[in-house]
């Protein structure tokens, strides 16, 4: 019988696996050999091959590649139940291809070309089909372990914050231009709205829908909602729906033929400015935190490390606009809401691994400002040692300062932490770029030299072979964000994502959603994308990515052991659920009988109902 993952024996096994990976990477760095010697015995060249020996030689190469795969350990240690579930997952992928994507109407492209639908196409283009797939149903039920890369102002659907804003008496909206109906909606399409809770002294009253409106005059949100239907020039669009659409990416914004990564980031930054005022007041922050915790549980996430933005201009407002709540107050709110939620879950005899905070501040700041933020981060760690997970710099990487500008401050910080007897790992955004050879691209070098424990995105890392091997040797883990990278212009489709090259080199990686609110996605969507982007990705790949998420979380051994025990229990339940729900498809690895699949239409309808408010618009 297999030992439980929470046992001391298998905790040691996970540590040994990591040590073996780090040792192999150190050997590669030292000897410039990237393939273990025991896998290179025998010749794979063409000198002695003929028609008879070629198939065996080819099979030998494939077997060696498979043995070196990032998921090889999970595959080799698979239980009979896992092997059966994996065969079923392969069958479900093929059924989805045949009976969801192949049956959908083709899309019309350039000069009338028609393009069949397929699972690894543009994410936003496929959102109408994804909920009908069995694979996404399975992804939603997958126990996902730890979620390690979440920007905290953008992880729930925009409708959540807009509903809260409706009930706030002191909520105001401003625009960078007047919204007038006689331009056929151009001002509505191009405007950038911002929200804020204001006291009476801060108002600059104006009517956004008047021709003489001056940019950034304030209009009470309730008045805006009342006036909108009389001015918006297009029929059948409510104010709520229009605002929600303003806060999320459209397909054309992400994939238009003239769109660039810079253009996508401009749209992204405008949306974060719009989201900011909907988020940074006390009622919203408390309610949002509670709903976020509930959503973690619904999405099969045991533990999360969130990235709030700590800066003086980003503090919370009191509900009446009378004053602000500083960064310490923000921490107290988070701790209060999370502690209450954890107590409720434990009282129901459930398990909740908790939430920790990665102290984040913008990379556009000056070195002196970063130094002050680092000092506050250290103070927070001393005051709340179990709540602070690490430190990061956030914002558009190419528009902020490169990491080398802050090397002195970050190195001093590490020495101060050591002197204080505390550990605050650097969990740094870097390599989120296509600008090879630029200062932005060089951030991966500085992340290595600064001793980052994890790096966010790391898309550029595969272009730095020495740095990549060094990071492997030091046990650095990547926080992958596939959907974010696609929508922000790093790859046109998931199949071209750098993660597959990184995984092929056995770089430890985790799967994350980044800013899911703006991308209309959740962590389940990112796991789905990881699967469909690679033809031979399977259950063992998912499992290894989940295990790495728990291994590289900022947890002590007791916390990690408890989470591993709970995850293993959920994993076994998940496998049983999967076989119970879809087991009659188990042997069907080819495109199956459509009639048999239609019997599952009721299951698909139930699934869409089950998704409910988690994925609006499905």
């Amino acid at each position: 019988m297999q030992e439980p993952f929470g046992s001391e024996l298998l905790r040691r096994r996970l540590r040994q696996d990591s040590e073996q990976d780090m040792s192999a990477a150190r050997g590669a760095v030292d000897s410039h050999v990237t393939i273990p010697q025991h896998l290179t015995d025998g010749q794979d060249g063409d000198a002695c091959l003929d028609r008879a020996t070629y198939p065996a030689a080819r099979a030998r190469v494939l077997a060696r590649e498979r043995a070196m795969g990032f998921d090889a350990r999970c595959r080799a240690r698979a239980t009979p139940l896992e092997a059966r579930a994996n065969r079923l997952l392969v069958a479900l992928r093929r059924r989805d291809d045949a009976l969801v994507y192949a049956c959908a109407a083709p899309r019309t492209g350039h000069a009338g070309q028609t393009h069949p639908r397929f699972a690894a196409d543009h994410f936003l283009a496929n959102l109408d089909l994804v909920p009908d797939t069995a694979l996404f149903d399975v992804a939603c039920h997958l126990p996902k372990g730890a979620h390690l890369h979440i920007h905290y102002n953008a992880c729930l659907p925009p409708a959540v914050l807009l509903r809260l804003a409706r009930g706030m008496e002191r909520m105001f909206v401003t625009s960078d231009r007047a919204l007038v109906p006689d331009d056929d909606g151009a001002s509505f399409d191009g405007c950038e709205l911002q929200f804020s809770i204001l006291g009476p002294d801060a108002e600059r009253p104006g009517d956004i829908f008047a021709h003489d409106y001056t940019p950034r005059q304030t209009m009470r949100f309730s008045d805006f909602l009342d006036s909108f239907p009389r001015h918006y020039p297009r029929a059948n669009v409510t104010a709520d729906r229009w605002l929600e659409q303003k806060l999320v990416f459209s397909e054309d914004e992400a994939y238009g033929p003239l769109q660039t990564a810079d253009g996508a980031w401009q749209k992204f930054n405008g949306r974060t400015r719009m989201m900011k005022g909907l988020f940074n007041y006390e009622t919203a922050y408390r309610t949002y935190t509670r709903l976020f915790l509930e959503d973690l549980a619904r999405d099969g996430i045991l533990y999360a490390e969130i990235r709030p933005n700590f800066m003086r201009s980003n503090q919370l407002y009191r509900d009446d606009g009378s004053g602000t709540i500083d960064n310490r107050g923000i921490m107290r709110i988070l701790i209060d809401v999370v502690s209450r939620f954890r107590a409720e879950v434990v009282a129901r005899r459930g398990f909740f691994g908790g939430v920790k905070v990665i102290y984040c501040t913008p990379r556009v700041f000056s070195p002196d400002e970063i130094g002050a933020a680092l000092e506050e981060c250290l103070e927070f760690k001393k005051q709340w040692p179990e709540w602070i997970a690490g430190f990061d710099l956030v914002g558009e990487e190419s528009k902020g300062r490169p990491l080398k500008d802050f090397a002195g401050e970050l190195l001093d910080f590490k020495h101060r932490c050591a002197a204080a007897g505390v550990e605050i790992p650097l969990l740094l955004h870097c390599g989120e770029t296509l600008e090879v050879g630029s200062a932005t691209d060089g951030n991966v070098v500085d992340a290595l030299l600064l001793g980052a424990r994890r790096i966010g995105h790391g898309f550029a890392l595969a272009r730095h072979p020495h740095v990549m091997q060094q990071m492997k040797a030091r046990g650095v883990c990547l926080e992958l964000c596939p959907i974010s990278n696609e929508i922000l212009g790093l790859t046109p489709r998931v199949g071209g994502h750098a993660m597959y090259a990184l995984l092929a080199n056995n770089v430890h990686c985790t799967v994350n959603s980044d800013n899911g609110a703006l991308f209309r996605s959740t962590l389940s969507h990112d796991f789905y994308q990881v699967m469909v982007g690679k033809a031979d990705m399977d259950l063992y790949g998912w499992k290894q990515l989940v295990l790495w998420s728990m291994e590289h979380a900022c947890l002590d051994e007791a916390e990690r052991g408890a989470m591993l025990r709970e995850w293993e229990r959920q994993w076994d339940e998940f496998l049983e659920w999967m076989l119970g729900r879809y087991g009659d498809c188990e042997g069907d690895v080819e495109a199956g009988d459509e009639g048999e699949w239609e019997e599952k239409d009721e299951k698909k309808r139930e699934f869409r109902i089950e998704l409910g408010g988690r994925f609006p618009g499905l």
Side-chain angles (χ1 to χ4, degrees):
M1 181 176 179
Q2 189 181 38
E3 290 271 359
F5 274 100
S7 71
E8 180 59 31
L9 174 62
L10 284 193
R11 284 206 299 278
R12 284 201 304 270
R13 175 182 284 181
L14 289 175
R15 287 196 296 270
Q16 289 166 359
D17 289 347
S18 262
E19 289 166 1
Q20 288 171 7
D21 289 342
M22 292 163 65
S23 176
R26 284 192 292 269
V29 169
D30 294 340
S31 65
H32 306 290
V33 174
T34 58
I35 302 177
Q37 190 63 44
H38 71 277
L39 290 174
T40 62
D41 295 337
Q43 295 297 316
D44 294 325
D46 61 359
C48 301
L49 294 181
D50 55 27
R51 289 176 181 267
T53 59
Y54 186 86
R58 188 175 189 279
R60 186 169 61 249
V61 171
L62 291 174
R64 286 171 177 166
E65 279 217 325
R66 196 175 186 86
M68 294 168 63
F70 82 99
D71 56 356
R73 291 192 187 102
C74 288
R75 190 179 306 280
R77 297 169 182 170
T79 64
L81 185 62
E82 287 174 331
R84 185 180 166 200
N86 187 57
R87 289 192 298 271
L88 175 57
L89 194 70
V90 172
L92 294 178
R93 286 188 66 169
R94 295 188 181 181
R95 277 186 170 273
D96 287 346
D97 289 342
L99 301 176
V100 177
Y101 290 101
C103 291
R107 293 167 61 84
T108 302
H110 174 70
Q113 276 186 314
T114 57
H115 303 282
R117 306 292 294 273
F118 62 100
D121 201 358
H122 296 145
F123 170 71
L124 294 177
N126 276 349
L127 270 179
D128 61 327
L129 298 182
V130 169
D132 287 334
T133 66
L135 183 59
F136 184 60
D137 187 13
V138 174
C140 287
H141 288 82
L142 174 74
K144 299 174 182 67
H147 193 176
L148 303 180
H149 193 113
I150 317 166
H151 290 282
Y152 197 50
N153 63 336
C155 46
L156 290 179
V160 172
L161 291 174
L162 288 168
R163 281 196 299 267
L164 290 172
R166 272 181 167 272
M168 302 306 297
E169 181 182 353
R170 302 301 305 172
M171 178 61 75
F172 290 81
V173 61
T174 73
S175 175
D176 62 347
R177 68 194 70 182
L179 306 186
V180 292
D182 52 6
D183 62 0
D184 197 30
S187 58
F188 286 83
D189 294 338
C191 73
E192 182 181 311
L193 300 182
Q194 293 181 11
F195 292 83
S196 54
I197 291 285
L198 299 175
D201 295 342
E203 291 185 45
R204 290 182 54 237
D207 181 357
I208 286 178
F209 302 103
H211 284 272
D212 61 354
Y213 174 79
T214 301
R216 298 305 168 201
Q217 283 185 292
T218 59
M219 184 177 189
R220 197 177 292 268
F221 186 41
S222 57
D223 294 339
F224 175 91
L225 294 172
D226 289 342
S227 299
F228 182 88
R230 297 194 298 273
H231 297 279
Y232 189 66
R234 296 165 191 155
N236 302 320
V237 177
T238 65
D240 287 329
R241 183 61 180 155
W242 179 75
L243 288 167
E244 288 175 32
Q245 291 171 341
K246 292 287 287 183
L247 281 164
V248 298
F249 272 85
S250 69
E251 185 180 349
D252 185 60
E253 286 174 328
Y255 312 116
L258 298 180
Q259 182 61 290
T260 63
D262 185 65
W265 267 102
Q266 288 181 33
K267 291 291 185 181
F268 176 89
N269 289 330
R271 290 190 167 101
T272 58
R273 289 189 289 268
M274 184 177 173
M275 187 79 81
K276 176 181 174 181
L278 293 168
F279 181 73
N280 68 343
Y281 62 96
E282 186 172 6
T283 287
Y285 209 86
R286 285 186 175 276
T287 305
Y288 189 91
T289 299
R290 171 70 193 210
L291 294 173
F292 165 72
L293 297 172
E294 293 174 357
D295 199 62
L296 289 180
R298 278 194 298 269
D299 209 16
I301 300 164
L302 291 173
Y303 164 82
E305 292 176 8
I306 60 174
R307 282 174 159 91
N309 215 348
F310 290 107
M311 50 193 283
R312 288 176 182 166
S313 62
N314 205 40
Q315 294 174 332
L316 296 189
Y317 286 92
R318 302 194 184 280
D319 290 350
D320 59 2
S322 62
T324 60
I325 300 170
D326 64 11
N327 291 337
R328 276 187 166 78
I330 292 172
M331 283 296 300
R332 291 189 184 99
I333 290 173
L334 284 168
I335 291 168
D336 177 56
V337 177
V338 174
S339 297
R340 290 173 184 268
F341 181 81
R342 181 176 1 213
E344 291 175 21
V345 173
V346 171
R348 296 196 301 266
R349 297 185 179 180
F351 177 89
F352 177 58
V355 166
K356 295 190 181 186
V357 172
I358 300 171
Y359 187 109
C360 293
T361 204
R363 64 194 323 134
V364 295
F365 276 8
S366 70
D368 286 344
E369 289 173 306
I370 296 300
L374 288 163
E375 189 59 38
E376 184 173 68
C377 178
L378 179 54
E379 292 170 7
F380 283 9
K381 182 67 173 181
K382 292 176 180 176
Q383 185 171 357
W384 299 293
E386 71 276 22
W387 290 91
I388 298 297
F391 180 86
D392 190 14
L393 297 164
V394 295
E396 185 177 357
E397 198 172 355
S398 63
K399 295 297 187 290
R401 294 173 181 262
L403 286 176
K404 62 184 176 63
D405 284 10
F406 309 119
E409 287 72 23
L410 292 167
L411 291 170
D412 290 345
F413 172 70
K414 288 166 68 83
H415 288 297
R416 288 201 305 276
C417 288
V422 300
E423 183 181 13
I424 307 177
L426 300 179
L427 313 170
L428 299 173
H429 275 70
C430 71
E432 190 182 2
T433 183
L434 294 174
E435 298 174 2
V436 181
S438 67
T440 306
D441 181 56
N443 282 336
V444 297
V445 176
D446 296 288
L448 171 69
L449 293 174
L450 291 166
R453 180 183 294 182
R454 297 198 313 257
I455 61 174
H457 299 284
F459 194 92
L461 185 60
R463 302 193 293 261
H464 295 268
H466 175 70
V467 176
M468 180 176 68
Q469 290 288 1
Q470 287 280 4
M471 285 192 172
K472 285 172 58 180
R474 299 182 188 188
V476 179
C477 179
L478 269 64
E479 302 162 356
L480 300 173
C481 304
I483 291 172
S484 173
N485 296 157
E486 179 186 320
I487 292 176
L488 293 179
L490 296 185
T491 181
R493 292 177 174 84
V494 68
H497 197 284
M499 64 181 161
Y500 299 116
L502 294 163
L503 289 171
N505 281 279
N506 270 285
V507 176
H508 286 206
C509 297
T510 66
V511 182
N512 309 275
S513 65
D514 202 20
N515 299 82
L518 310 183
F519 307 140
R520 294 188 273 166
S521 65
T522 68
L523 188 57
S524 290
H525 288 94
D526 279 283
F527 269 96
Y528 177 86
Q529 289 295 100
V530 168
M531 181 68 69
V532 299
K534 187 172 185 285
D536 60 350
M537 182 70 75
D538 59 18
L539 185 70
Y540 305 120
W542 267 357
K543 181 180 180 182
Q544 183 62 78
L545 291 164
V546 171
L547 289 174
W548 278 337
S549 78
M550 294 182 286
E551 177 185 340
H552 291 281
C554 295
L555 300 167
D556 63 33
E557 284 306 302
E559 292 170 325
R560 198 182 324 277
M563 185 161 60
L564 284 166
R565 283 191 293 272
E566 175 62 18
W567 178 82
E568 188 199 29
R569 184 190 67 78
Q570 292 188 8
W571 177 254
D572 288 341
E573 287 184 353
F574 161 70
L575 298 176
E576 295 286 0
W577 166 86
M578 184 177 160
L579 290 164
R581 183 155 185 163
Y582 294 107
D584 51 344
C585 305
E586 187 174 354
D588 189 8
V589 295
E590 300 299 332
D593 174 59
E594 188 166 351
E596 183 182 344
W597 182 253
E598 290 306 314
E599 294 175 4
K600 296 178 178 56
D601 275 353
E602 185 59 34
K603 288 182 180 178
K604 289 192 285 185
R605 281 191 289 271
E606 291 171 0
F607 177 46
R608 278 188 176 264
I609 294 171
E610 181 183 322
L611 292 178
R614 284 177 56 201
F615 313 118
L618 297 185

